[in-house]
Amino acid sequence: STPAKGAGGPEFVYITDAPIGVNQFLELGRTGTRDAAAALGGTSRTFESNDTDQSRRSNIEAAVAARPKAIVLITFEFDDLSVEYAEAHPDQQFVLIDSCPDGTVPANLRCGVFKEYEASYLLGVEAGLLTRSDRVGTVAAIDIPFFHRWSNSFALGARSVNPKVSDRQLFVGGDNPVGDPARAKELALTVAQAGADQVFAVTGGGNGGVFEAAKETGALAYGVDVNQCPQAPGSIVDNAIKRIDVVVKDLLTSIVQGRPGGTSTAYGLAEQGSTVTSLTEDAAGSQCAIMKHPEILARVREARDKIVSGEIVVPDPVKAG
Amino acid sequence: MTRWARAVLSEGTVVAVTLTVVIVAVLLLATGYDPVSVYATMAAGSLTGAGLVSTLQQTVPVVGLTLALCFSFRAGVFNLGGEGQFVIGGCAGAITALTLPGPGLVVIAASLAVAALAAALWAAIPPLLQEHLDAPIFVTSLLLNYPAIAMTSYAVKAWLKDPDSSLMATRRIDGSRRIGPLAAPGSGPGRAIADLFGPDSTLTLVTSGLSWSLPVVAAILAFTIFVNTRLPIGLEAHVLGLNPRLARHTGVNVARVVRVHMLIGGAIAGVVGALVVLSSHYRFIDGGLDGTGYAVTALLVVLLGRSRPWGAVVAGFFFSALIVGGQAMEREYGLSSYLSIIIQALVIFLVTLRLTRAWRTR
Amino acid sequence: MVHLELRDITKSFPGVLANDGISLTVPAGEVHALIGENGAGKSTLMSILYGLVRPDSGRILLDGRERSFASSQDAIRAGLGMVFQSFKLFGEHTVVENVVFGAEPRRGWFLDRARAAREVGEISRAFGFDLPLHTRVGELPVGVLQRVEIVKALYRKAEVLILDEPTAVLTPQEAEALFAVLRSLAAAGRSVIFISHKLDEVLAVADRVTVLRDGRVVATHDVGRTSPREISAQMTGREIELGERRAAGERGPVVLDVDRLRVGARDRTLLGGVSLQVHAGEMVGVAGVAGNGQDVLAGALAGHIPVAGGTVTLLGHDVTRAANARRRAAGLAHIPEDRDRSGTAAQGDAVVNLGLGHHRAPPLLRSGILRPRAMRAHAERLIARFGVKIAAPGTRVGTLSGGNAQKLVVARELGRHTAFLLAEQPTRGVDIGSIEAIHGELDAYRRRGGAILLVSSELSEIRNLCDRVIVMFEGRVMADVAADTVSDADLGLLMAGRAADPQEAPS
Amino acid sequence: MLSEGTLASLTRALTPLLLLGLSGLLCHRVGVFNIALEGFMLAGAFAAVAGSALTGQAYLGVVAAGLSGAVIAAAFAIGVIWRRGDPMVLGIAVNLLVSGLTTYLLWAVFEVRGTFQTPQIRPLPQVAAAASELPVVGPALGTLSLLGVLALAGLPAMRVFLDRTVWGLRLRGVGLDPGAAESLGVDPRRYRFVVITFAGVLGGWAGAQLSLGSVALFTENMSAGRGWVVVLALLLTNGRVGPLVGVLAVFALADAVGIRLQTYGFPVQLSDAAPYLATLAVIVVVGIRRRGRRQLVE
Ligand SMILES: Nc1ncnc2c1ncn2[C@@H]1O[C@H](COP(=O)(O)OP(=O)(O)OP(=O)(O)O)[C@@H](O)[C@H]1O
Ligand SMILES: Nc1ncnc2c1ncn2[C@@H]1O[C@H](COP(=O)(O)OP(=O)(O)OP(=O)(O)O)[C@@H](O)[C@H]1O
Ligand SMILES: [Mg+2]
Ligand SMILES: [Mg+2]
């Protein structure tokens, strides 16, 4: 992916932590970086890592050697590396999306993180209102705090509108946690057998399996990152999505404009950095099941407004430990 | 040429590599790429400048793990448990480095020792099961990888998790307890080398990019050769690998040789795990060590190098260069780096076919 | 009724001319023996005849018609049958399954077991074999296995039966029974080609004998018109002293003392209280029909088979339950029965093969460290002393001929200067020249004051070398007799368990 | 925990394993140690999805899966049989090659990386849907595809084939002693080649069952170690049909139960390790029993 070089404008390198594949999230990072670069009159390149520490390192090394205006990194896999390389190359600007290292952020690093938990909370509100069995569940990839941003907040949102709701959270784990649809399906069926009729799918490439299970058992599913409703129209209610394009553009502009770095910015419902499909301008054509329930959508908007205004504070499970 | 060079760079290997280059070139041409420039990119990306540093950085642990496997394979024992021993060692080393008080060097040494011990204990289970329950080491060593990974994963989650990080990992290891570069850029030797050879010279890059893990693995190499050629138990392992019945008939204590070689191999794998943690990750990350793919590469290397230590070095470097070169290719051309996996697989496949030998020996 | 003719068969392997213009005629109804030293080309010639190896040139004629065999299948179809030196049987399969394998009577896709059993049973009875048709072959003794092999060939209607060293693993009685079968086959008009290293057998069973040397036919004789001396001279190109009895040496103190040794469980006794002694300067032979406990005794003495009761004392040390390593330290040397499986590492070189067992003591070891140069010197010394024909100490042992590989094992074990040697079948499958050399070494060892227990299926070997003979039957010592007073016939009776008057050994 | 759901879940996990087990069993019986099963399966999973997506026909996907497995297996067989390559090394090379090749083709043909899922991919129909009303076993049978039925029927068929047919006798002989087989005019190379290639078909079908049986999609490396599971089971049982099924069932059951353990608050790490721990437990139990028997004899 080498767009014509030598345009003279600023150059940006986007480095993923893993192959982009159908990972819509990483793909969004690529298009986001490209669009932001174009908006700033520059160009962008993408280096895909292959899910190993070594490949991430050699991609950063190669990027640093090319001396671009900024290097955009994505996901928590770069927590340590971003600090290490930012400190080793003080003249090079870095951006880290979707995560931020603990401690002080070096001056040449800017973080942009999402409040997925706010969007997940809204999905929970939908689930709490839709459930007939008063049981909801999440199938997530790995049992780490990061994934609890979705699972815990989903349960929280459901309980906020229906206190009787009980919650199940299962994790794929295994050899291929974000790409094992068969296992993800098995887990979703297990959740469904345990009585849950609302299942939140946070398993990356495994989501397809969860949707299959939803179709088979008649449960309703919830997707992440992008609009996944077309994959199983009628079975998928809504999605918690991240607007990476918004965040990347924001941070790259800040670099080009020479504003001070060392910052960490969180993008939630208020910043429109994370949201749900039904609240975006594409909602009408989304094929999401929620669109048939305007009364529920009204409750969702209400909750969104309360979060934005600070009336409701959704806790960040990562901060909670 | 020395014996090892001949062994590794035998005609068969050269033919296999050449044929692979041709096959992949055809594949590239068919998909509209210029093979010459793709190969040039791979070579430049893995054998020069930062690429060479990356290659060497990978070679060190791969060779270390290969040497670990050499011990059991030479004794005719298929030890597929390298990955588990590697992870256990890394975890034990990290815990030691995080908790033990004392001066940096001492703690580093202690971490390596604890890693060796923990991984050796883990590696002792398969021979024990074989001696007492007739369970083949091949099976049990492979099986034990999964509990090893699950155990360390759970340990991180339940007790060791860094509360401030979104990584599923331990806290970061203090700077003084890390294994640093051979010549850090700011340090005295680092500046001296940079002044002498220039700041961008290959030597400067390599000495600043490679850590003191390199001499540790070099010492392991020397140790391996010493055990193989100069210790009675090394000779016994060799015979055991060639013909176990002969070993039993000439008074070799087979169980002991197997046990000792599994223990040594496990200890080495553990040390390598700790080396990666202390010199590169600076913390134990859940999935961080098994995710490197080093253990799998090492298994390939030991099979191809037929358990010869120098074969491990040459083949280890070759495979590391392929992996790093594959990434350079991907960056430059957007070609899937899986092409480099295909290349690796083809080389192994073709080497094994021994194309230089006649097809039908009757 | 087939008249077989081989004309000018030539076959070379890299560096070896294995068959060099060999011509041979075997009319129907003849037993034809092939004899020659190790590596003379006998097996190669038969492999060519049986379609396993393609000759470089030469012709095979059956009844005057030229045939060319691309595989053993072709040869089988043409009426050839082969009994290999090492049996080609499936231990897990039953006798019937083994016999019909590859030429099964079928019903659709299925094996017609009833018909198979009927046909095999008929053939087996016709030759008086009475095989246990439904027993797994792995459970049968070698003598029976040999018969299964022959029935296999007969089942395929073999007109020409080839047997490569069929008697190497048989007792004299079993061999005698085999000869009777061969003669009856010949009488029925089939031809038999028979390979052996044993001259007396050849003269006993064959009509004619062809002598091979270095891949060439040296001579073909009618057995009535030749002598052992002539044949052995033609085989080797020199005179060989055959069957010379060696004089007994001085008998010293007891080295090995076995007392009421028992092996096996209550329901399956392998050794039932064996007692014997071997003195310094003495060679004691162990004779017996295979499967009567000789190999168990050897395994128990070497420490490979756990002992149920009794004691084994070696030079005053109780080693009854000691591991092989401790026995060796106490003074045991051991030539195992099967040099390829237990005696050598084919992939290893002579340095490793000869150094093993010597490597934990000086001069190979100094302060715990091996000395490569000393190891090499050690190998060179033994190679020279035992006359092993090998290119260099670094040569892979797998490339050696059987005789030389055997000498290597003998060299390693005798090179250790132990007090006691357990020698199992030390000359099995070895040619006369090498037998002579190995016998010489065993004798020299005894003269130096060593004690030897020689387990051998060659009665002549035992009678010529040993001072005493222990005959085993069903896991017990049947007799312990002086070797020079007992006759072959007596030994045969004792081995069959018929002790007219069991003699007590002089103690 | 041992509900109808568990049984259905067990069946779904077990069917691809059984097909792959049959594949490995055949190789084992002709004396070829095959660790390329993972590659057979992955190739089949990819080809099934590709075939189904390109033609819109699930059964054409199955055909493609069988073919791809056969091609991979034939390459492996040629290396092992005619080049006398180390089956261990070749097997690992095959696994690696298939993993690289499927990922590469996914990218080159469908321009997808990671997971490939489109409505064009037709899943395998459930052929025994009528049975799903039965008590206890109903849900399990209801999920069976044609390949699932084949897997279950294949086991007794395999026993009959090995024990009673001429071909079975011969290929068992080839596995026990190729030299002996050859001396009787049964060319072990030919038999091995045919058998391994057919094992490739079965392995490919195991992959098809994985990618079209319960889900209808392909994910990079979606075989996820199942080939190794079967290799383990084969080693452990020395290729005997009954025990093999037993070990695979223990494995699949532990997997299904392991997943459910999470619902009782056990950590995901325990679900991950459960099948392997269960297999280790089988080894220990079998070992102790064998030991006990040996001591009785002595
Ligand atoms: N497959 C082979 N490759 C190379 N050389 C071979 C091969 N088979 C036999 N030879 C050589 O051919 C010669 C004849 O061997 P052959 O096996 O026919 O001897 P033989 O007469 O049967 O000996 P023995 O009495 O020991 O069985 C030997 O020198 C041997 O080295
Ligand atoms: N593949 C081979 N390559 C080289 N030489 C071989 C090969 N196969 C056999 N030989 C040679 O053939 C000769 C005879 O081989 P064979 O297998 O008949 O053993 P042997 O010497 O006859 O011993 P025995 O009589 O106990 O069988 C030996 O010299 C051996 O080295
Ligand atoms: Mg021969
Ligand atoms: Mg021979």
Side-chain angles (χ1 to χ4, degrees), chain B residues 134-181:
Chain B
D134 281 345
I137 288 185
F138 180 17
V139 176
T140 49
S141 63
L142 175 63
L143 272 175
L144 281 169
N145 286 338
Y146 298 90
I149 291 168
M151 256 170 53
T152 56
S153 170
Y154 186 75
V156 170
K157 179 189 146 94
W159 305 298
L160 306 169
K161 167 96 180 65
D162 177 358
D164 298 327
S165 170
S166 38
L167 283 175
M168 194 62 174
T170 64
R171 280 179 293 114
R172 279 164 78 81
I173 292 163
D174 194 58
S176 66
R177 292 152 176 225
R178 298 178 184 174
I179 298 179

Side-chain angles (χ1 to χ4, degrees), chain B residues 112-123:
Chain B
L112 296 185
V114 171
L117 189 72
L121 285 178
W122 191 253

Side-chain angles (χ1 to χ4, degrees), chain B residues 225-239:
Chain B
I225 294 174
F226 176 77
V227 173
N228 284 356
T229 60
R230 303 306 292 269
L231 287 189
I233 201 167
L235 179 73
E236 290 169 0
H238 180 51
V239 171

Side-chain angles (χ1 to χ4, degrees), chain B residues 361-362, chain C residues 11-19 35-47 53 85 164-165 195-197 212 214-215 339 399-403 429-431:
Chain B
T361 43
R362 266 214 151 178
Chain C
K11 173 73 191 180
S12 62
F13 293 111
V16 195
L17 191 54
N19 287 174
I35 195 160
E37 291 193 290
N38 292 123
K42 308 177 294 286
S43 299
T44 304
L45 186 67
M46 292 303 108
S47 300
V53 173
Q85 182 172 355
D164 193 350
E165 296 189 39
I195 299 179
S196 177
H197 288 295
L212 293 187
D214 296 338
R339 65 173 168 267
T399 64
L400 294 182
S401 81
V430 169
D431 66 43

Side-chain angles (χ1 to χ4, degrees), chain A residues 21-22 171 179 181 185-186 193, chain D residues 9 113 214 217 219 260 262:
Chain A
V22 284
F171 298 88
K185 179 178 178 182
E186 220 37 76
Q193 276 156 24
Chain D
S9 172
R113 294 188 65 169
S214 80
L217 48 79
T219 304
R260 278 163 180 73
Q262 277 193 56

Side-chain angles (χ1 to χ4, degrees), chain C residues 10 39 78 141 211 309 336 354 388 421 428 456:
Chain C
T10 298
V211 183
L354 287 171
V388 183
L421 172 69
R428 172 174 287 177
S456 175

